[in-house]
Coordinates of all heavy atoms in Angstrom, one line a residue:
M267 N 47.3 68.9 14.7 CA 48.6 68.4 15.3 C 49.3 69.6 15.9 O 49.5 70.6 15.3 CB 49.4 67.7 14.1 CG 50.7 67.1 14.6 SD 51.6 66.3 13.3 CE 50.8 64.7 13.2
T268 N 49.8 69.4 17.1 CA 50.5 70.4 17.8 C 51.9 70.4 17.3 O 52.4 69.4 16.9 CB 50.5 70.2 19.3 OG1 51.1 69.0 19.6 CG2 49.1 70.2 19.8
P269 N 52.7 71.5 17.4 CA 54.1 71.5 17.0 C 54.9 70.4 17.7 O 55.7 69.7 17.1 CB 54.6 72.9 17.4 CG 53.4 73.7 17.4 CD 52.3 72.8 17.8
S270 N 54.7 70.2 19.0 CA 55.5 69.2 19.8 C 55.2 67.8 19.3 O 56.0 66.9 19.2 CB 55.2 69.3 21.2 OG 53.9 69.0 21.5
C271 N 53.9 67.6 18.8 CA 53.6 66.2 18.3 C 54.3 66.0 17.0 O 54.8 64.9 16.8 CB 52.1 66.2 18.1 SG 51.4 64.6 17.7
S272 N 54.4 67.0 16.1 CA 55.1 66.7 14.9 C 56.6 66.5 15.1 O 57.2 65.8 14.4 CB 54.8 67.8 13.9 OG 55.4 69.1 14.3
M273 N 57.1 67.2 16.1 CA 58.5 67.0 16.4 C 58.8 65.6 16.8 O 59.7 65.0 16.5 CB 59.0 68.0 17.5 CG 59.3 69.4 16.9 SD 59.6 70.6 18.3 CE 61.0 69.8 19.2
R274 N 57.9 65.1 17.6 CA 58.1 63.7 18.1 C 58.0 62.7 16.9 O 58.7 61.8 16.8 CB 57.0 63.3 19.2 CG 57.4 63.9 20.5 CD 56.6 63.2 21.6 NE 56.6 64.1 22.8 CZ 55.6 64.9 23.0 NH1 54.6 65.0 22.3 NH2 55.6 65.7 24.1
S275 N 57.1 63.0 16.0 CA 56.9 62.2 14.9 C 58.2 62.1 14.1 O 58.6 61.1 13.6 CB 55.8 62.6 14.0 OG 54.6 62.6 14.7
R276 N 58.8 63.3 13.9 CA 60.1 63.4 13.2 C 61.2 62.6 13.9 O 62.0 62.0 13.3 CB 60.5 64.8 13.0 CG 59.8 65.5 11.8 CD 60.6 66.7 11.3 NE 60.8 67.7 12.3 CZ 59.9 68.7 12.5 NH1 58.8 68.7 11.9 NH2 60.2 69.6 13.5
A277 N 61.2 62.7 15.3 CA 62.2 61.9 16.0 C 62.1 60.4 15.8 O 63.0 59.7 15.6 CB 62.1 62.3 17.5
V278 N 60.8 59.9 15.8 CA 60.6 58.5 15.6 C 60.9 58.2 14.2 O 61.6 57.2 13.9 CB 59.1 58.2 15.8 CG1 58.8 56.7 15.5 CG2 58.7 58.5 17.3
A279 N 60.6 59.1 13.2 CA 61.0 58.8 11.8 C 62.5 58.7 11.6 O 63.0 57.9 10.9 CB 60.3 59.9 10.9
A280 N 63.2 59.6 12.3 CA 64.7 59.6 12.2 C 65.3 58.3 12.7 O 66.3 57.8 12.2 CB 65.3 60.7 13.0
R281 N 64.7 57.7 13.8 CA 65.2 56.4 14.3 C 64.9 55.3 13.3 O 65.9 54.5 13.0 CB 64.6 56.2 15.6 CG 65.0 54.8 16.3 CD 64.3 54.5 17.5 NE 62.9 54.2 17.2 CZ 62.0 54.1 18.1 NH1 62.1 54.4 19.3 NH2 60.7 53.8 17.7
G282 N 63.7 55.2 12.8 CA 63.4 54.0 12.1 C 63.6 54.2 10.6 O 63.6 53.2 9.9
G283 N 63.6 55.4 10.1 CA 63.7 55.6 8.6 C 62.5 55.1 7.9 O 62.5 54.7 6.8
G284 N 61.3 55.2 8.6 CA 60.1 54.7 8.0 C 59.5 53.6 8.8 O 59.7 53.5 10.0
C285 N 58.7 52.8 8.2 CA 58.0 51.7 8.9 C 59.2 50.8 9.6 O 60.1 50.4 8.9 CB 57.2 50.8 8.0 SG 56.5 49.4 8.8
E286 N 59.0 50.6 10.9 CA 60.0 49.8 11.6 C 59.7 48.3 11.6 O 60.5 47.6 12.3 CB 60.1 50.4 13.1 CG 60.5 51.9 13.0 CD 60.8 52.4 14.4 OE1 61.9 52.3 14.8 OE2 59.9 53.0 14.9
F287 N 58.7 47.9 11.0 CA 58.4 46.5 10.9 C 59.5 45.7 10.1 O 59.9 46.2 9.1 CB 57.0 46.2 10.3 CG 56.4 44.9 10.6 CD1 55.6 44.7 11.7 CD2 56.7 43.9 9.8 CE1 55.1 43.5 12.0 CE2 56.1 42.6 10.0 CZ 55.3 42.4 11.1
P288 N 60.0 44.6 10.7 CA 61.0 43.9 10.0 C 60.6 43.5 8.6 O 59.6 43.0 8.3 CB 61.3 42.6 10.8 CG 60.7 43.0 12.2 CD 59.6 43.9 11.9
G289 N 61.5 43.9 7.6 CA 61.3 43.5 6.2 C 60.5 44.6 5.4 O 60.3 44.4 4.2
C290 N 60.0 45.6 6.1 CA 59.2 46.6 5.4 C 60.1 47.7 5.1 O 60.9 48.2 5.9 CB 58.0 47.0 6.3 SG 56.9 48.2 5.5
G291 N 59.9 48.2 3.9 CA 60.7 49.4 3.5 C 60.0 50.6 3.2 O 60.4 51.5 2.5
R292 N 58.7 50.7 3.7 CA 57.9 51.9 3.4 C 58.5 53.1 4.1 O 58.9 53.1 5.3 CB 56.5 51.7 3.7 CG 55.8 50.7 2.8 CD 54.3 50.6 3.0 NE 53.8 49.6 2.0 CZ 53.6 48.3 2.4 NH1 53.9 47.9 3.5 NH2 53.1 47.5 1.5
P293 N 58.6 54.3 3.4 CA 59.3 55.4 4.0 C 58.4 56.2 5.0 O 57.2 55.8 5.2 CB 59.4 56.3 2.8 CG 58.3 55.9 1.8 CD 58.1 54.5 2.1
P294 N 59.0 57.1 5.8 CA 58.3 57.8 6.8 C 57.0 58.4 6.3 O 56.0 58.5 7.0 CB 59.2 58.9 7.3 CG 60.6 58.3 7.0 CD 60.4 57.5 5.7
S295 N 57.0 58.9 5.1 CA 55.8 59.6 4.5 C 54.6 58.6 4.4 O 53.5 59.1 4.3 CB 56.1 60.2 3.2 OG 56.6 59.3 2.3
W296 N 54.9 57.3 4.4 CA 53.8 56.3 4.4 C 53.5 55.8 5.7 O 52.6 55.0 5.8 CB 54.2 55.1 3.5 CG 54.3 55.4 2.0 CD1 54.8 56.4 1.4 CD2 53.8 54.5 1.0 NE1 54.7 56.3 0.0 CE2 54.1 55.1 -0.2 CE3 53.1 53.3 1.0 CZ2 53.7 54.5 -1.4 CZ3 52.8 52.7 -0.2 CH2 53.0 53.3 -1.4
S297 N 54.2 56.3 6.7 CA 54.1 55.6 8.0 C 53.3 56.5 9.0 O 53.2 57.7 8.9 CB 55.5 55.3 8.6 OG 56.1 54.5 7.7
E298 N 52.8 55.8 10.0 CA 52.0 56.4 11.1 C 52.7 56.1 12.4 O 53.4 55.2 12.5 CB 50.6 55.9 11.1 CG 49.9 56.0 9.7 CD 48.6 55.2 9.6 OE1 48.4 54.2 10.4 OE2 47.9 55.5 8.7
V299 N 52.4 56.9 13.4 CA 53.0 56.6 14.8 C 52.1 55.7 15.5 O 50.8 55.9 15.6 CB 53.2 58.0 15.5 CG1 53.6 57.7 16.9 CG2 54.1 58.9 14.8
H300 N 52.7 54.6 16.0 CA 51.9 53.6 16.8 C 52.4 53.7 18.2 O 53.6 53.8 18.5 CB 52.2 52.2 16.2 CG 51.5 51.2 17.1 ND1 50.2 50.9 17.2 CD2 52.2 50.2 17.9 CE1 50.0 49.9 18.0 NE2 51.2 49.5 18.5
H301 N 51.4 53.8 19.2 CA 51.7 53.8 20.6 C 51.9 52.3 21.0 O 51.0 51.5 20.8 CB 50.6 54.4 21.4 CG 50.6 55.9 21.3 ND1 50.1 56.6 20.2 CD2 50.9 56.9 22.2 CE1 50.1 57.9 20.4 NE2 50.7 58.1 21.6
V302 N 53.1 52.0 21.6 CA 53.3 50.6 22.1 C 52.3 50.3 23.2 O 51.7 49.3 23.1 CB 54.8 50.5 22.6 CG1 55.0 49.2 23.2 CG2 55.8 50.8 21.4
V303 N 52.2 51.2 24.2 CA 51.1 51.1 25.1 C 50.1 52.2 24.7 O 50.5 53.3 24.6 CB 51.6 51.4 26.6 CG1 50.4 51.4 27.5 CG2 52.7 50.4 27.0
G304 N 48.9 51.8 24.3 CA 47.9 52.7 23.8 C 47.7 53.9 24.8 O 47.8 53.8 26.0
W305 N 47.5 55.1 24.1 CA 47.3 56.2 25.0 C 46.0 56.1 25.8 O 45.9 56.7 26.9 CB 47.4 57.5 24.2 CG 46.3 57.6 23.1 CD1 46.5 57.3 21.8 CD2 45.0 58.1 23.2 NE1 45.4 57.5 21.0 CE2 44.4 58.0 21.9 CE3 44.2 58.6 24.2 CZ2 43.1 58.3 21.6 CZ3 42.9 59.0 23.9 CH2 42.4 58.8 22.7
Q306 N 45.1 55.3 25.3 CA 43.9 55.1 26.1 C 44.3 54.3 27.4 O 43.5 54.4 28.4 CB 42.9 54.2 25.3 CG 42.5 54.7 24.0 CD 43.3 54.1 22.9 OE1 44.5 53.9 23.0 NE2 42.7 54.0 21.7
E307 N 45.3 53.6 27.4 CA 45.7 52.8 28.6 C 46.8 53.6 29.4 O 47.4 53.0 30.2 CB 46.3 51.5 28.2 CG 45.2 50.5 27.7 CD 45.5 49.9 26.3 OE1 46.6 49.5 26.2 OE2 44.7 50.0 25.4
G308 N 47.0 54.8 29.1 CA 47.9 55.7 29.8 C 49.3 55.7 29.3 O 50.2 56.2 29.9
G309 N 49.5 55.1 28.1 CA 50.9 55.1 27.5 C 51.2 56.6 27.0 O 50.4 57.3 26.5
P310 N 52.5 57.0 27.3 CA 52.9 58.3 27.0 C 53.2 58.5 25.5 O 53.5 57.5 24.8 CB 54.1 58.5 27.9 CG 54.7 57.2 27.9 CD 53.5 56.2 28.0
T311 N 53.0 59.7 25.0 CA 53.4 60.0 23.7 C 54.9 60.4 23.8 O 55.3 61.6 23.8 CB 52.6 61.2 23.1 OG1 51.2 60.8 23.0 CG2 53.1 61.5 21.6
A312 N 55.8 59.4 23.9 CA 57.2 59.7 24.1 C 57.9 58.6 23.3 O 57.4 57.6 22.9 CB 57.6 59.5 25.6
L313 N 59.1 59.0 22.9 CA 59.9 58.2 21.9 C 60.0 56.7 22.4 O 59.9 55.8 21.5 CB 61.3 58.8 21.7 CG 62.1 58.3 20.5 CD1 61.3 58.5 19.2 CD2 63.4 59.1 20.4
Q314 N 60.1 56.5 23.7 CA 60.2 55.1 24.1 C 58.9 54.3 24.0 O 58.9 53.2 24.3 CB 60.7 55.0 25.6 CG 61.7 56.0 26.1 CD 61.0 57.3 26.5 OE1 61.0 58.2 25.6 NE2 60.5 57.5 27.7
N315 N 57.9 55.1 23.7 CA 56.5 54.4 23.6 C 56.0 54.5 22.2 O 54.8 54.1 22.0 CB 55.6 55.0 24.6 CG 54.3 54.2 24.7 OD1 54.4 53.0 24.8 ND2 53.1 54.9 24.7
L316 N 56.8 54.9 21.2 CA 56.3 55.0 19.8 C 57.1 54.3 18.8 O 58.3 54.2 19.0 CB 56.4 56.6 19.4 CG 55.5 57.5 20.3 CD1 55.8 58.9 19.9 CD2 54.1 57.2 20.3
V317 N 56.5 53.7 17.9 CA 57.1 53.1 16.7 C 56.4 53.6 15.5 O 55.3 54.0 15.5 CB 57.1 51.6 16.7 CG1 57.8 51.0 17.9 CG2 55.7 51.1 16.7
M318 N 57.2 53.7 14.3 CA 56.6 54.0 13.1 C 56.2 52.8 12.4 O 56.9 51.8 12.4 CB 57.7 54.7 12.2 CG 58.1 56.1 12.6 SD 56.8 57.3 12.3 CE 57.0 57.7 10.6
A319 N 55.0 52.8 11.8 CA 54.4 51.6 11.2 C 53.6 52.2 10.0 O 52.9 53.2 10.1 CB 53.6 50.8 12.1
C320 N 53.8 51.5 8.8 CA 53.0 51.9 7.7 C 51.6 51.5 7.9 O 51.3 50.8 8.9 CB 53.5 51.3 6.4 SG 53.4 49.5 6.4
R321 N 50.7 51.9 7.1 CA 49.2 51.6 7.3 C 49.0 50.1 7.5 O 48.3 49.6 8.4 CB 48.4 52.2 6.2 CG 46.9 52.1 6.5 CD 46.2 53.2 5.7 NE 46.6 54.5 6.1 CZ 45.9 55.6 5.9 NH1 44.7 55.5 5.4 NH2 46.3 56.8 6.4
V322 N 49.6 49.3 6.6 CA 49.4 47.9 6.7 C 49.9 47.3 8.0 O 49.2 46.5 8.7 CB 50.2 47.2 5.5 CG1 50.2 45.7 5.6 CG2 49.6 47.6 4.2
H323 N 51.1 47.7 8.4 CA 51.7 47.1 9.6 C 51.0 47.7 10.9 O 50.9 47.0 11.9 CB 53.2 47.2 9.6 CG 53.8 46.2 8.6 ND1 54.6 46.6 7.6 CD2 53.6 44.9 8.5 CE1 54.9 45.6 6.9 NE2 54.4 44.5 7.4
H324 N 50.6 48.9 10.8 CA 49.8 49.5 11.9 C 48.5 48.8 12.1 O 48.2 48.4 13.3 CB 49.5 51.0 11.5 CG 49.2 51.9 12.7 ND1 49.0 53.2 12.6 CD2 49.1 51.6 14.1 CE1 48.8 53.7 13.9 NE2 48.9 52.7 14.8
R325 N 47.9 48.4 11.1 CA 46.6 47.6 11.2 C 46.9 46.2 11.8 O 46.2 45.7 12.7 CB 45.9 47.5 9.9 CG 45.1 48.7 9.5 CD 44.5 48.4 8.1 NE 43.5 47.3 8.2 CZ 42.2 47.4 8.5 NH1 41.7 48.6 8.7 NH2 41.5 46.4 8.5
L326 N 48.1 45.7 11.3 CA 48.5 44.3 11.8 C 48.7 44.4 13.3 O 48.3 43.4 14.0 CB 49.8 43.9 11.1 CG 50.2 42.5 11.2 CD1 49.3 41.6 10.4 CD2 51.6 42.3 10.7
L327 N 49.4 45.4 13.8 CA 49.6 45.5 15.2 C 48.4 45.7 16.0 O 48.3 45.1 17.2 CB 50.6 46.8 15.5 CG 52.0 46.6 15.0 CD1 52.8 47.9 15.1 CD2 52.7 45.4 15.7
H328 N 47.4 46.3 15.5 CA 46.1 46.5 16.2 C 45.2 45.3 16.1 O 44.4 45.1 17.0 CB 45.4 47.7 15.7 CG 46.0 49.0 16.3 ND1 45.7 49.4 17.6 CD2 46.8 50.0 15.8 CE1 46.3 50.5 17.9 NE2 46.9 50.9 16.8
H329 N 45.3 44.5 15.0 CA 44.2 43.6 14.7 C 44.8 42.1 14.6 O 44.2 41.3 14.1 CB 43.5 43.9 13.4 CG 42.8 45.2 13.6 ND1 41.8 45.5 14.4 CD2 43.1 46.4 12.9 CE1 41.4 46.7 14.3 NE2 42.2 47.3 13.4
S330 N 46.0 41.9 15.1 CA 46.5 40.6 15.1 C 47.3 40.3 16.4 O 47.3 41.2 17.3 CB 47.5 40.3 13.9 OG 48.7 40.9 14.1
E331 N 47.9 39.1 16.5 CA 48.6 38.8 17.7 C 50.1 39.2 17.7 O 50.9 38.8 18.6 CB 48.5 37.3 18.0 CG 47.1 36.9 18.3 CD 46.9 35.3 18.3 OE1 47.9 34.6 18.7 OE2 45.9 34.9 17.9
W332 N 50.5 40.0 16.7 CA 51.8 40.6 16.7 C 51.9 41.5 17.9 O 51.0 42.3 18.2 CB 52.1 41.4 15.4 CG 52.6 40.5 14.3 CD1 51.8 39.9 13.4 CD2 53.9 40.2 14.0 NE1 52.6 39.2 12.5 CE2 53.9 39.3 12.9 CE3 55.2 40.5 14.5 CZ2 55.1 38.8 12.2 CZ3 56.3 40.0 13.9 CH2 56.3 39.2 12.8
I333 N 53.1 41.5 18.6 CA 53.3 42.4 19.7 C 54.5 43.3 19.4 O 55.5 42.7 18.9 CB 53.6 41.6 21.0 CG1 52.3 40.8 21.4 CG2 54.0 42.5 22.2 CD1 52.5 39.8 22.5
V334 N 54.5 44.5 19.7 CA 55.7 45.4 19.6 C 56.0 45.9 21.0 O 55.1 46.2 21.7 CB 55.4 46.5 18.6 CG1 54.3 47.4 18.9 CG2 56.8 47.3 18.4
R335 N 57.3 45.9 21.2 CA 57.8 46.5 22.5 C 59.1 47.2 22.2 O 59.8 46.9 21.2 CB 57.9 45.4 23.6 CG 58.8 44.3 23.2 CD 58.7 43.1 24.1 NE 59.7 42.1 23.7 CZ 59.6 40.8 24.0 NH1 58.6 40.3 24.7 NH2 60.6 39.9 23.6
I336 N 59.5 48.0 23.1 CA 60.8 48.7 23.0 C 61.8 48.0 23.9 O 61.6 47.9 25.1 CB 60.6 50.2 23.4 CG1 59.6 50.9 22.5 CG2 62.0 50.9 23.3 CD1 60.0 51.1 21.1
R337 N 62.9 47.6 23.4 CA 64.0 47.0 24.1 C 65.3 47.8 23.8 O 65.6 47.9 22.6 CB 64.2 45.5 23.8 CG 63.2 44.6 24.5 CD 63.4 44.5 26.0 NE 62.2 44.5 26.7 CZ 61.5 43.4 26.9 NH1 61.9 42.2 26.5 NH2 60.3 43.4 27.6
D338 N 66.0 48.3 24.8 CA 67.2 49.0 24.5 C 67.0 50.2 23.6 O 67.9 50.5 22.8 CB 68.4 48.1 24.0 CG 68.6 46.9 24.9 OD1 68.5 47.0 26.1 OD2 68.9 45.8 24.4
G339 N 65.8 50.8 23.7 CA 65.5 52.0 22.9 C 65.1 51.7 21.5 O 64.9 52.6 20.7
L340 N 65.0 50.4 21.1 CA 64.6 50.1 19.7 C 63.4 49.1 19.8 O 63.3 48.3 20.7 CB 65.8 49.3 19.0 CG 67.0 50.2 18.8 CD1 68.2 49.4 18.2 CD2 66.7 51.4 17.7
P341 N 62.6 49.3 18.8 CA 61.4 48.4 18.7 C 61.7 46.9 18.4 O 62.6 46.7 17.5 CB 60.5 49.0 17.7 CG 61.4 49.8 16.8 CD 62.6 50.2 17.7
E342 N 61.1 46.0 19.0 CA 61.2 44.6 18.5 C 59.8 44.1 18.4 O 58.9 44.5 19.2 CB 62.1 43.7 19.4 CG 61.7 43.6 20.8 CD 62.7 42.7 21.6 OE1 63.9 42.7 21.3 OE2 62.3 42.2 22.7
F343 N 59.6 43.2 17.4 CA 58.3 42.7 17.1 C 58.2 41.2 17.3 O 59.1 40.5 16.9 CB 58.0 43.0 15.6 CG 58.0 44.5 15.3 CD1 59.1 45.2 15.1 CD2 56.7 45.1 15.1 CE1 59.1 46.6 14.8 CE2 56.7 46.5 14.8 CZ 57.8 47.2 14.6
V344 N 57.2 40.8 18.1 CA 57.1 39.4 18.5 C 55.9 38.8 17.7 O 54.8 39.3 17.7 CB 56.7 39.3 20.0 CG1 56.6 37.8 20.4 CG2 57.8 40.0 20.9
P345 N 56.3 37.8 16.9 CA 55.3 37.3 15.9 C 54.3 36.4 16.7 O 54.6 35.9 17.8 CB 56.1 36.4 15.0 CG 57.4 36.1 15.7 CD 57.6 37.2 16.7
P346 N 53.1 36.2 16.1 CA 52.1 35.3 16.7 C 52.7 33.8 16.7 O 53.6 33.5 15.9 CB 50.9 35.4 15.8 CG 51.2 36.6 14.9 CD 52.6 36.8 14.9
G347 N 52.2 33.0 17.6 CA 52.6 31.6 17.7 C 52.4 30.8 16.4 O 53.2 29.9 16.1
W348 N 51.5 31.1 15.5 CA 51.3 30.4 14.3 C 52.5 30.7 13.3 O 52.7 30.0 12.3 CB 49.9 30.5 13.7 CG 49.5 31.9 13.3 CD1 48.9 32.9 14.2 CD2 49.8 32.6 12.1 NE1 48.7 34.0 13.5 CE2 49.2 33.9 12.2 CE3 50.4 32.2 10.9 CZ2 49.2 34.9 11.2 CZ3 50.4 33.2 9.9 CH2 49.9 34.5 10.0
I349 N 53.1 31.8 13.5 CA 54.3 32.2 12.6 C 55.5 31.6 13.2 O 56.3 31.0 12.5 CB 54.4 33.7 12.4 CG1 53.2 34.2 11.5 CG2 55.7 34.1 11.7 CD1 53.2 35.7 11.3
D350 N 55.7 31.8 14.5 CA 56.9 31.3 15.1 C 56.5 30.7 16.6 O 56.2 31.5 17.5 CB 58.0 32.4 15.4 CG 59.2 32.0 16.1 OD1 59.2 30.8 16.5 OD2 60.1 32.8 16.2
P351 N 56.4 29.4 16.7 CA 55.9 28.8 17.9 C 56.7 29.3 19.1 O 56.2 29.3 20.2 CB 56.1 27.3 17.7 CG 56.1 27.1 16.2 CD 56.7 28.4 15.6
E352 N 58.0 29.6 18.9 CA 58.8 30.1 20.1 C 58.6 31.6 20.3 O 59.2 32.1 21.2 CB 60.3 29.7 19.8 CG 60.5 28.3 19.8 CD 62.0 27.9 19.5 OE1 62.9 28.7 20.0 OE2 62.2 27.0 18.8
R353 N 58.0 32.3 19.4 CA 57.7 33.7 19.5 C 59.0 34.5 19.8 O 59.0 35.3 20.7 CB 56.6 34.0 20.5 CG 55.4 33.2 20.3 CD 54.1 33.7 20.9 NE 53.7 34.9 20.2 CZ 52.8 35.8 20.7 NH1 52.1 35.5 21.8 NH2 52.4 36.8 20.0
R354 N 60.0 34.3 18.9 CA 61.3 35.0 19.1 C 61.1 36.4 18.5 O 60.6 36.6 17.4 CB 62.4 34.3 18.3 CG 62.8 33.0 19.0 CD 63.7 32.2 18.1 NE 62.9 31.7 17.1 CZ 63.2 30.7 16.3 NH1 64.3 30.1 16.4 NH2 62.3 30.2 15.3
P355 N 61.5 37.4 19.2 CA 61.3 38.8 18.8 C 62.2 39.1 17.5 O 63.3 38.5 17.4 CB 61.8 39.7 20.0 CG 62.5 38.7 20.9 CD 62.1 37.4 20.6
R356 N 61.7 39.9 16.7 CA 62.4 40.3 15.4 C 62.6 41.8 15.5 O 61.8 42.5 15.9 CB 61.6 39.9 14.2 CG 61.3 38.4 14.2 CD 60.3 38.1 13.2 NE 60.0 36.7 13.2 CZ 59.5 35.9 12.2 NH1 59.3 36.5 11.1 NH2 59.4 34.6 12.4
R357 N 63.8 42.2 14.9 CA 64.1 43.6 14.8 C 64.4 43.9 13.3 O 65.0 43.1 12.6 CB 65.3 44.0 15.6 CG 65.0 44.0 17.1 CD 66.2 44.6 17.8 NE 65.8 44.7 19.2 CZ 66.6 45.4 20.1 NH1 67.8 45.8 19.7 NH2 66.3 45.6 21.3
K358 N 64.2 45.1 13.0 CA 64.6 45.6 11.7 C 66.0 46.0 11.8 O 66.4 46.8 12.7 CB 63.7 46.7 11.2 CG 63.9 47.2 9.8 CD 62.9 48.2 9.4 CE 63.1 48.7 8.0 NZ 62.1 49.7 7.6
P359 N 66.9 45.6 10.9 CA 68.3 46.1 11.0 C 68.3 47.7 10.9 O 67.6 48.2 10.0 CB 69.0 45.5 9.8 CG 68.1 44.4 9.4 CD 66.7 44.7 9.8
L360 N 69.1 48.3 11.6 CA 69.2 49.8 11.4 C 69.8 50.2 10.1 O 70.7 49.5 9.6 CB 70.1 50.4 12.5 CG 69.5 50.2 14.0 CD1 70.5 50.6 15.0 CD2 68.3 51.1 14.1
P361 N 69.2 51.2 9.5 CA 69.6 51.6 8.1 C 71.1 51.7 7.9 O 71.8 51.3 6.9 CB 68.9 52.9 7.8 CG 67.7 52.9 8.8 CD 68.2 52.1 10.0
H362 N 71.8 52.3 9.0 CA 73.2 52.6 8.8 C 74.1 51.3 9.0 O 75.3 51.4 8.8 CB 73.7 53.8 9.7 CG 73.5 53.4 11.2 ND1 72.3 53.7 11.8 CD2 74.3 53.0 12.1 CE1 72.5 53.3 13.1 NE2 73.7 52.8 13.3
L363 N 73.4 50.3 9.5 CA 74.2 49.0 9.6 C 74.0 48.0 8.5 O 74.7 47.0 8.5 CB 73.8 48.4 11.0 CG 74.0 49.1 12.2 CD1 73.5 48.4 13.5 CD2 75.5 49.4 12.4
V364 N 73.2 48.4 7.5 CA 72.9 47.5 6.4 C 73.8 47.9 5.2 O 73.9 49.0 4.9 CB 71.4 47.7 6.0 CG1 71.1 46.8 4.7 CG2 70.5 47.3 7.1
A365 N 74.5 46.8 4.8 CA 75.4 47.1 3.6 C 74.6 47.3 2.4 O 73.5 46.6 2.2 CB 76.3 45.9 3.4
S366 N 75.0 48.3 1.6 CA 74.2 48.7 0.4 C 74.9 48.2 -0.8 O 76.1 47.8 -0.8 CB 73.8 50.1 0.4 OG 75.0 50.9 0.5
Ligands
ZN1012 ZN1 55.3 48.4 7.1

């Protein structure tokens, strides 16, 4: 891993506080960087193209019909039609906006 790569990982971790999948609370140390547009398809390794996902949700994004995209600088997750026929995007509440 190059220094710039680890810096980007930290920036993504700082935004999401770990896995950014709605309802998931796994910390950054359990999470991996997922490219919204795969680097094989020309997606950049840039904050607007990266989300943190734990191993379970990273696999889900690659092997199911869940879609992740960045809107207004934050990731939103679109469920498969069998979970939500209207496929309404879901977001994880930001940690500093959640009452504890
Ligand atoms: Zn997760």
Side-chain angles (χ1 to χ4, degrees):
M267 183 181 277
T268 64
S270 65
C271 188
S272 66
M273 277 172 58
R274 283 198 201 92
S275 298
R276 279 203 299 276
V278 177
R281 182 186 65 197
C285 178
E286 298 186 86
F287 198 89
C290 184
R292 291 190 180 92
S295 57
W296 286 47
S297 300
E298 302 165 344
V299 174
H300 173 72
H301 286 73
V302 175
V303 178
W305 58 266
Q306 302 95 328
E307 289 126 50
T311 301
L313 196 53
Q314 322 82 266
N315 191 44
L316 301 174
V317 297
M318 290 289 281
C320 67
R321 188 156 297 203
V322 171
H323 288 124
H324 201 180
R325 282 181 62 88
L326 191 72
L327 291 172
H328 279 284
H329 300 292
S330 76
E331 291 170 36
W332 277 90
I333 294 168
V334 62
R335 61 194 182 198
I336 304 284
R337 283 288 142 85
D338 303 325
L340 294 172
E342 61 182 24
F343 296 80
V344 181
W348 59 268
I349 290 180
D350 179 356
E352 295 178 36
R353 306 200 74 186
R354 286 165 294 197
R356 299 168 185 207
R357 284 185 175 192
K358 187 175 182 178
L360 291 171
H362 64 273
L363 297 178
V364 178
S366 54

